Amino acid sequence: MRDEDRADPRPVDVDDELDAALRGDEAGEAQPDGSLVDDVAALVQDGRNFVEAEIAFQKTRLAFAANRSKSAVVSGLFALAFIHLALIALVVGLVIALTPLVSALGATAIVVGALLFGAFLMLMRMRNSTQEIGDAFGNDNPEGGE
């Protein structure tokens, strides 16, 4: 009976183990097929491969992050533009809504005054925040020495 006619041919590993057993080699004992220098050279080469793969991965990840950051910034700018346009529409709507109650000039003055008051409050908050930042980085030594 030929090998290719067998229904369940033996795997090559089994044949190798049988041959090793017939020669008297112990099972599971690895035969040295290289020197220590070859093993160290292979280890160094594997290390280089791993470093190159890691660098390539980090470059890809950085490119992905840059692409997504660009998309996020553009989306944020468009969102700010839409908010700005909505606030303009709100201001115009307030002027139109107040016109029947007070004159057009009075409605404009009320809306502009409210906006200037809001801007003043925001400037005061900004000044306080920047002063707190300055105090945090200021000289903590009361003697004035370095």
Side-chain angles (χ1 to χ4, degrees), residues 40-51:
V40 170
L43 180 64
V44 168
Q45 184 60 39
D46 287 345
R48 282 188 189 135
N49 290 341
F50 288 138
V51 168

Side-chain angles (χ1 to χ4, degrees), residues 27-81:
E29 188 176 304
Q31 296 293 323
D33 55 352
S35 68
L36 181 61
V37 174
D38 293 338
D39 291 342
V40 170
L43 180 64
V44 168
Q45 184 60 39
D46 287 345
R48 282 188 189 135
N49 290 341
F50 288 138
V51 168
E52 289 171 2
E54 183 66 22
I55 289 172
F57 171 70
Q58 294 300 335
K59 283 181 181 179
T60 303
R61 200 163 83 160
L62 180 63
F64 174 77
N67 186 0
R68 291 295 180 230
S69 297
K70 182 174 59 172
S71 175
V73 167
V74 169
S75 297
L77 289 175
F78 273 106
L80 288 174

Side-chain angles (χ1 to χ4, degrees), residues 79-93:
L80 288 174
F82 290 147
I83 290 170
H84 183 255
L85 291 173
L87 290 174
I88 290 172
L90 177 67
V91 168
V92 170

